[in-house]
Amino acid sequence: MEIWVLGFSIFLCHVCFSYAQMQGFVSLDCGGTNSHTDELGIQWVPDDQFQFGQTANISIPDETHQQYMTLRYFPNDNRKYCYTLNVTSRTRYLVRATFLYGNFDNNNVYPKFDVSMGPTPWSTIVISDASTVEMIEMIFLAIEPTISVCLSNATTGQPFISTLELRQFNGSMYIADFENQYYMSVSARINFGADSADPVRYPDDPYDRVWESDSVKKPNFLVDVASGTEKISTKMPINVDRDDRPPQKVMQTAVVGRNGTLSYRLNLDGFPGGGWAFTYFAEIEDIGPNDVRKFRLVLPDAPQASKAAVNILENAQGKDRLYEPGFMNLTLPFVLSFRFVKTSDSTLGPLVNAMEINKYLKRNGGTLDGSTITKLISQYSSADWAQEGGDPCLPVPWSWLECNSDPQPLVTAIHLSRKNLTGNIPSELTNLGGLIELWLDGNSLNGSVPDFSGCPNLKIIHLENNQLTGSVPSSLGDLQNLKELYLQNNRLSGKMPSNLGSDLVSNFSGNVNLRKASSGTSQTGIIVGSSIGAAVLLIATILSCLFLRKGKNSKKRYNDQARLRNVLPSQKLSSSLENTATEAAHCFTFSELEEATKDFEKKIGSGGYGVVYYGKLKDGREIAVKVLTSNSFQGKREFSNEVTLLSRIHHRNLVQFLGYCQEDGKSILVYEFMHNGTLKEHLYGPLTRERGINWIQRLEIAEDAARGIEYLHTGLDGASHVSSIVRGTVGYLDPEYYISQQLTDKSDVYSFGVILLELISGQEAISNENFGVNCRNIVQWAKMHIESGDIQGIIDPSLRDEYDIQSMWKIAEKALMCVQAHGHMRPSISEVLKEVQDAIMIDKEAKAAREGNSNDMSIHSMHSSLHLGSSDLGPTDSYLSIDESIARPSAR
Ligand SMILES: *[C@@H]1O[C@H](CO)[C@@H](O)[C@H](O)[C@H]1NC(C)=O
Ligand SMILES: *[C@@H]1O[C@H](CO)[C@@H](O)[C@H](O)[C@H]1NC(C)=O
Ligand SMILES: *[C@@H]1O[C@H](CO)[C@@H](O)[C@H](O)[C@H]1NC(C)=O
Ligand SMILES: *[C@@H]1O[C@H](CO)[C@@H](O)[C@H](O)[C@H]1NC(C)=O
Ligand SMILES: *[C@@H]1O[C@H](CO)[C@@H](O)[C@H](O)[C@H]1NC(C)=O
Ligand SMILES: *[C@@H]1O[C@H](CO)[C@@H](O)[C@H](O)[C@H]1NC(C)=O
Ligand SMILES: *[C@@H]1O[C@H](CO)[C@@H](O)[C@H](O)[C@H]1NC(C)=O
Ligand SMILES: *[C@@H]1O[C@H](CO)[C@@H](O)[C@H](O)[C@H]1NC(C)=O
Ligand SMILES: *[C@@H]1O[C@H](CO)[C@@H](O)[C@H](O)[C@H]1NC(C)=O
């Protein structure tokens, strides 16, 4: 596990000029084969000491950094893969990991997996673009002499990593009151007024922090910029003074609000939550003798934060010097809107050079048995199983351990059968108070059976097939929960303890010198606890083992069933879904449909595709019968393909497909008739006025639908992954289909993205009137608005203000990802489902907060309007809150 800096000291001699700065830098080029120095002067070393995973080379046009051209990837299994790095305890560090997918597996499946810092969940990496480097950073105080960064829990693709970097800070940089209990995960570190899109980092920043340019383009990053915002810069040196401050290059650029306001909105990764937020100001303009620059920070809903006015010259005590007010713990939302507004007695608009926002992440103390397990494995430091690294139980247990589900877990099972263990049974094992199963059979363990009274929960002990000597300790008889004890084929001797439970399943055979407890005669062989009872138990055990083994094989099926149960909203749907497993759509006869529709009497809709008639089947079910115009489908094969696909749509909020009929050259599709109207009608049909559905209901519909699609994508054994939803309906159809003529899972994701946009906007997918000139399509229209930060422009006015803007943003951004032009750029439906669920949670919390504060009209108002326009300073409807006691701005 000690995988880093082997060649490190060698470099130090080559690059002596940067010795001071490079001290405390560890830069691992994961998957790399040789050491190299990049254009910044950072020295990269390969992670070739690392014994897990495989390496891959990628190539990305325009990507020239050698460290990003290689990566290490790991199997998609239930293990974790950890890098362990040496650190100096009681010292603060920045750790940074980057991920550049580059389609290394030639699969175009964008990986999604978790990264943890030891036992503490750090981030979920969601790759959404094969050629963009994803980066995560964390600031922490080292408490132990090592840290572990672990990859686990891939929900799609395989976990991988491109680089892992460690930067040691100096002295008290980033010291925080809560640093023993919290990490700080970096959410934003912004260089305002930057002269290019490149970040400022080493060597300008001796600690190699990455100061991101404010001109970088990414979704909802620094949008809603107030008019009159101007970039300014200076060549004059800035007295940065202490080394924990932003580097001079960052402070030499700024933005100024010439019209009196600077405003921005950005997404804060990891939030909502409590965070550390600081702003950095330096007066870099020449100010006339009669000019004053004074301004306030305005955070909507956090009036406390706006109290103090900033006068840079006064606060910094001079020009070209730094002032850095901030909050040590401020509760911030996921979508942060903030403004700097000039005060009435100021002649100049506000100015800002840089800002940093970090999210507090509660440290998990890890497995309670952690130190015991550490001692245990230190005796087997060369064994494979001792190299897994990270916390024994969190976020997932080592391959040979099981743990309980407490926040700080205990080890419940040890599986070290046939691992070539020698010497005594490690005494650490007898300190594991939560241990239920111990498997040490088939090793070469010698010495005696220890006293396990420190493990009162032990149920199953396997010590057979070793070389254990001595007698069987009577302390085993004191284990109240012991059900199975296997000691056969050792060298045990003496008398069996007499206090072993009568229902204990045990095997002592093959211990030549072991005598039965009761009779004094030396007798070898099996001693079964008592009589027939025990035999029955044994058989039961064997049966249950067999059953369990079988259960394991059919685990997938079991999961499918579980999934089925989770997904299905109703019994009816359940049976129809099971039917779809056979992909059989019902074939109606033409006369049957004639009868049901009373000879196509009642027309309930029509369109380019054909005409829809009302009907009623013999069993009373009401149906909608869609008679397709002859040119809708080119041929029989296409039609039957369509039927197969449609037969897989089963959702209560999408119309349920019942069957088809193809006779006399007629192609007919039969759907369930929905009295309450379909989703469409609720959203933009005549029903809207009476039965408008609110945002949470819309999200819940989306959740249900996503679950249904997820089921189709993952739950059908052996079913080919062809698209299901709304094939052929213009406006929902995957644009790639026009080229490939193939519908895939990702086509469904596209269609679902369109549905999300409909839910947000209450607009139909295609409209000749509603999207302005030259735009008929909801996707183009929504994209234009969302990407320019104007989400208000697409939100359904009938939602009034009864929604939370963050949950809206989450959905809007996910929807845009779903409707990306290329299938491989779209997320999986599972990922979308997760986002919808998060949005529901956020909206519900916000709703509760709104209602909880409904008396306090001065701060929150249920119906306060959402103003994101730059000229407005009114309260907004987000749930920003603040801890007053520590929300005072404080200069570091
Ligand atoms: C990390 O520390 C351990 C223990 O002090 C030491 O044995 C190991 O060589 C160190 N690893 C590196 C790469 O310096
Ligand atoms: C990656 O490229 C290096 C250098 O060209 C080569 O030595 C290595 O074998 C390649 N690795 C893989 C997995 O192809
Ligand atoms: C694994 O990832 C899924 C999806 O992101 C998440 O729901 C689940 O909680 C994760 N499991 C663990 C053990 O973190
Ligand atoms: C760290 O602090 C020491 C003492 O305060 C100083 O001499 C040194 O230059 C600092 N290192 C960096 C990289 O700023
Ligand atoms: C902002 O100021 C510029 C000139 O400084 C002026 O042209 C523009 O109209 C102003 N905009 C607003 C919204 O006040
Ligand atoms: C145990 O040792 C044998 C012989 O040296 C070896 O073949 C086997 O792979 C080892 N098993 C484990 C689990 O290390
Ligand atoms: C137990 O095994 C170890 C290592 O194989 C050996 O050094 C030791 O002498 C053995 N002890 C006994 C009592 O046999
Ligand atoms: C006990 O162990 C021996 C040796 O492995 C085996 O032959 C025998 O079948 C076992 N007895 C029972 C009851 O499982
Ligand atoms: C920050 O404040 C919130 C709300 O008062 C509190 O719950 C949280 O524990 C604080 N965070 C830290 C790191 O102290």
Side-chain angles (χ1 to χ4, degrees):
M1 264 342 206
E2 317 297 351
I3 36 86
W4 54 293
V5 283
L6 235 212
F8 194 53
S9 51
I10 304 165
F11 285 126
L12 294 180
C13 307
H14 288 299
V15 197
C16 289
F17 65 92
S18 59
Y19 177 82
Q21 290 90 336
M22 298 305 283
Q23 203 174 27
F25 277 31
V26 176
S27 307
L28 282 184
D29 175 9
C30 304
T33 48
N34 61 304
S35 303
H36 57 98
T37 301
D38 69 13
E39 81 284 2
L40 301 174
I42 294 172
Q43 297 136 13
W44 294 88
V45 292
D47 68 341
D48 50 8
Q49 305 264 305
F50 194 73
Q51 51 175 267
F52 296 107
Q54 285 175 282
T55 63
N57 294 337
I58 58 172
S59 79
I60 304 262
D62 302 332
E63 180 55 73
T64 52
H65 296 93
Q66 188 178 338
Q67 64 269 25
Y68 294 136
M69 324 270 250
T70 62
L71 55 84
R72 184 177 293 276
Y73 64 97
F74 306 97
N76 179 337
D77 57 17
N78 54 12
R79 290 180 57 174
K80 60 172 176 271
Y81 295 91
C82 300
Y83 284 83
T84 302
L85 303 174
N86 284 357
V87 288
T88 308
S89 57
R90 306 313 302 177
T91 304
R92 284 169 209 86
Y93 288 86
L94 174 73
V95 59
R96 171 163 54 225
T98 67
F99 309 87
L100 177 56
Y101 170 55
N103 193 19
F104 69 83
D105 50 4
N106 289 317
N107 233 343
N108 276 317
V109 174
Y110 288 163
K112 175 181 175 186
F113 53 90
D114 292 343
V115 180
S116 60
M117 174 83 161
T120 306
W122 175 1
S123 182
T124 297
I125 304 299
V126 182
I127 302 297
S128 50
D129 173 358
S131 54
T132 299
V133 179
E134 292 288 330
M135 179 176 92
I136 53 174
E137 292 180 299
M138 168 123 89
I139 292 166
F140 66 96
L141 172 74
I143 295 177
E144 307 282 330
T146 60
I147 60 154
S148 302
V149 174
C150 306
L151 277 54
S152 66
N153 193 25
T155 42
T156 54
Q158 289 167 278
F160 74 95
I161 182 166
S162 303
T163 68
L164 184 59
E165 299 161 67
L166 198 55
R167 307 289 181 247
Q168 187 174 353
F169 288 135
N170 212 0
S172 59
M173 281 178 74
Y174 292 100
I175 189 166
D177 293 346
F178 325 101
E179 60 189 353
N180 286 315
Q181 291 89 42
Y182 290 88
Y183 295 117
M184 290 202 294
S185 145
V186 179
S187 289
R189 198 191 286 112
I190 304 165
N191 174 18
F192 285 99
D195 46 18
S196 80
D198 295 333
V200 173
R201 53 185 294 184
Y202 187 82
D204 294 301
D205 186 323
Y207 303 101
D208 194 27
R209 288 168 293 180
V210 173
W211 296 86
E212 201 154 12
S213 162
D214 62 347
S215 56
V216 161
K217 290 268 166 283
K218 45 182 188 179
N220 204 30
F221 180 68
L222 301 178
V223 291
D224 261 2
V225 181
S227 68
T229 299
E230 218 175 80
K231 293 187 175 201
I232 56 168
S233 65
T234 181
K235 294 248 165 6
M236 296 290 288
I238 310 276
N239 184 358
V240 206
D241 195 21
R242 289 203 318 270
D243 52 33
D244 53 339
R245 295 171 155 187
Q248 169 166 292
K249 184 165 180 192
V250 167
M251 296 307 296
Q252 280 174 328
T253 64
V255 285
V256 191
R258 295 290 182 218
N259 289 9
T261 302
L262 286 171
S263 79
Y264 291 98
R265 192 178 67 240
L266 77 165
N267 284 2
L268 288 180
D269 288 338
F271 283 88
W276 177 107
F278 274 77
T279 41
Y280 303 96
F281 303 107
E283 185 53 79
I284 58 171
E285 276 195 318
D286 291 322
I287 293 194
N290 299 324
D291 274 332
V292 182
R293 191 194 304 284
K294 257 174 92 178
F295 55 91
R296 286 196 163 84
L297 167 66
V298 178
L299 287 177
D301 282 3
Q304 302 92 323
S306 314
K307 280 182 186 147
V310 175
N311 179 331
I312 306 174
L313 276 181
E314 255 177 47
N315 294 118
Q317 298 177 351
K319 200 167 142 50
D320 301 331
R321 294 169 63 92
L322 218 107
Y323 174 54
E324 44 180 346
F327 300 94
M328 291 300 283
N329 183 8
L330 182 64
T331 304
L332 292 172
F334 170 63
V335 179
L336 176 68
S337 298
F338 63 93
R339 267 174 242 288
F340 295 99
V341 183
K342 85 176 189 63
T343 58
S344 52
D345 55 344
S346 173
T347 61
L348 300 171
L351 176 155
V352 61
N353 309 65
M355 84 191 266
E356 267 184 294
I357 299 177
N358 302 321
K359 162 101 203 298
Y360 283 118
L361 278 186
K362 184 106 177 85
R363 288 181 193 235
N364 185 310
T367 310
L368 286 175
D369 293 324
S371 60
T372 308
I373 298 290
T374 305
K375 264 189 241 150
L376 170 72
I377 62 169
S378 67
Q379 299 160 41
Y380 301 93
S381 52
S382 56
D384 279 0
W385 54 268
Q387 313 298 319
E388 293 186 29
D391 184 84
C393 296
L394 294 172
V396 292
W398 286 341
S399 59
W400 49 278
L401 284 179
E402 288 173 48
C403 307
N404 64 17
S405 54
D406 294 353
Q408 280 199 263
L410 290 171
V411 173
T412 56
I414 299 232
H415 299 274
L416 288 173
S417 305
R418 295 175 300 282
K419 297 282 191 214
N420 291 346
L421 305 185
T422 56
N424 292 346
I425 292 180
S427 61
E428 288 79 17
L429 293 174
T430 64
N431 299 331
L432 298 173
L435 199 63
I436 295 170
E437 287 184 39
L438 177 62
W439 296 70
L440 293 174
D441 52 295
N443 287 297
S444 308
L445 294 165
N446 62 14
S448 56
V449 176
D451 178 353
F452 280 110
S453 48
C455 316
N457 296 308
L458 266 174
K459 244 184 192 154
I460 299 175
I461 300 180
H462 280 270
L463 297 174
E464 69 269 26
N465 303 327
N466 278 294
Q467 289 147 32
L468 299 171
T469 53
S471 60
V472 179
S474 63
S475 58
L476 284 176
D478 300 334
L479 296 173
Q480 296 300 316
N481 296 300
L482 193 62
K483 295 277 177 303
E484 299 173 35
L485 175 62
Y486 300 92
L487 287 169
Q488 67 266 30
N489 301 332
N490 278 293
R491 297 177 192 159
L492 298 168
S493 57
K495 254 198 200 169
M496 291 285 306
S498 55
N499 59 348
L500 292 178
S502 60
D503 57 351
L504 179 71
V505 176
S506 57
N507 192 340
F508 297 99
S509 71
N511 289 291
V512 193
N513 296 318
L514 193 61
R515 279 171 291 126
K516 232 182 177 174
S518 48
S519 77
T521 60
S522 132
Q523 189 188 342
T524 53
I526 166 170
I527 302 171
V528 178
S530 79
S531 53
I532 303 167
V536 170
L537 238 174
L538 190 68
I539 291 167
T541 310
I542 292 167
L543 282 178
S544 71
C545 285
L546 284 174
F547 180 75
L548 278 179
R549 175 119 27 89
K550 189 161 170 269
K552 210 169 202 169
N553 291 338
S554 55
K555 190 170 168 206
K556 176 150 190 340
R557 178 153 302 277
Y558 169 77
N559 283 344
D560 287 351
Q561 283 164 2
R563 194 198 300 271
L564 201 64
R565 274 199 302 279
N566 286 337
V567 167
L568 296 174
S570 70
Q571 192 58 42
K572 184 175 148 209
L573 202 51
S574 153
S575 56
S576 70
L577 253 176
E578 269 153 10
N579 290 342
T580 42
T582 64
E583 297 271 70
H586 183 70
C587 174
F588 291 90
T589 64
F590 188 67
S591 57
E592 211 177 333
L593 294 180
E594 260 180 339
E595 195 181 320
T597 58
K598 298 203 177 125
D599 215 5
F600 302 96
E601 183 189 62
K602 190 171 164 194
K603 194 161 132 180
I604 52 175
S606 69
Y609 52 83
V611 182
V612 186
Y613 299 92
Y614 174 81
K616 197 166 189 175
L617 293 175
K618 282 212 185 91
D619 64 8
R621 265 191 300 170
E622 292 173 289
I623 54 174
V625 179
K626 197 180 202 176
V627 183
L628 300 163
T629 47
S630 49
N631 61 359
S632 299
F633 291 98
Q634 257 120 53
K636 202 173 157 125
R637 223 180 117 244
E638 280 78 3
F639 179 73
S640 62
N641 189 23
E642 177 76 10
V643 168
T644 318
L645 296 172
L646 280 173
S647 68
R648 294 169 56 186
I649 314 168
H650 292 278
H651 196 271
R652 57 183 169 177
N653 291 307
L654 302 171
V655 190
Q656 192 174 350
F657 177 69
L658 298 176
Y660 67 101
C661 167
Q662 198 172 33
E663 265 177 47
D664 304 335
K666 289 196 175 62
S667 299
I668 301 178
L669 300 171
V670 181
Y671 302 88
E672 175 188 39
F673 177 76
M674 292 183 80
H675 271 287
N676 293 334
T678 62
L679 171 60
K680 269 196 173 56
E681 287 155 6
H682 276 296
L683 283 179
Y684 34 70
L687 297 172
T688 322
R689 250 152 286 126
E690 311 102 74
R691 266 182 252 149
I693 44 178
N694 69 26
W695 181 234
I696 288 204
Q697 286 167 324
R698 292 181 194 200
L699 288 175
E700 282 168 351
I701 289 172
E703 183 189 12
D704 275 350
R707 272 186 205 277
I709 299 167
E710 186 190 43
Y711 175 80
L712 291 176
H713 287 181
T714 58
L716 289 170
D717 261 347
S720 63
H721 282 198
V722 248
S723 154
S724 43
I725 313 184
V726 261
R727 172 172 182 199
T729 311
V730 187
Y732 298 90
L733 186 60
D734 181 357
E736 275 193 323
Y737 176 74
Y738 295 110
I739 303 155
S740 66
Q741 299 290 314
Q742 290 245 325
L743 290 169
T744 64
D745 280 4
K746 289 299 174 73
S747 309
D748 290 347
V749 171
Y750 182 92
S751 309
F752 188 74
V754 175
I755 292 176
L756 287 180
L757 293 175
E758 292 181 327
L759 290 169
I760 292 172
S761 64
Q763 300 285 346
E764 284 189 76
I766 294 288
S767 161
N768 285 329
E769 302 92 42
N770 297 346
F771 302 136
V773 270
N774 296 332
C775 184
R776 289 186 59 227
N777 175 320
I778 196 172
V779 171
Q780 282 166 271
W781 172 74
K783 207 169 174 152
M784 202 177 68
H785 280 88
I786 298 172
E787 282 179 350
S788 66
D790 173 26
I791 196 174
Q792 295 300 319
I794 64 160
I795 296 177
D796 186 350
S798 81
L799 287 175
R800 296 191 292 277
D801 297 320
E802 291 155 12
Y803 57 84
D804 178 71
I805 189 71
Q806 297 176 55
S807 94
M808 190 65 83
W809 264 111
K810 264 182 144 16
I811 298 302
E813 288 184 346
K814 216 58 183 183
L816 279 201
M817 290 174 69
C818 292
V819 298
Q820 299 251 36
H822 301 289
H824 66 85
M825 297 163 82
R826 299 173 202 150
S828 68
I829 193 72
S830 311
E831 194 185 320
V832 183
L833 173 60
K834 169 86 173 28
E835 203 73 7
V836 171
Q837 288 165 337
D838 285 355
I840 291 176
M841 202 186 71
I842 289 179
D843 201 69
K844 285 188 172 162
E845 278 172 9
K847 187 154 184 273
R850 280 198 300 262
E851 282 163 5
N853 286 340
S854 56
N855 296 333
D856 184 1
M857 297 303 286
S858 65
I859 298 174
H860 292 273
S861 157
M862 179 80 171
H863 295 285
S864 76
S865 52
L866 284 142
H867 299 290
L868 294 168
S870 55
S871 59
D872 185 87
L873 294 178
T876 73
D877 213 8
S878 67
Y879 67 115
L880 194 88
S881 65
I882 196 164
D883 174 2
E884 266 193 82
S885 61
I886 39 181
R888 278 170 288 111
S890 62
R892 279 195 288 163

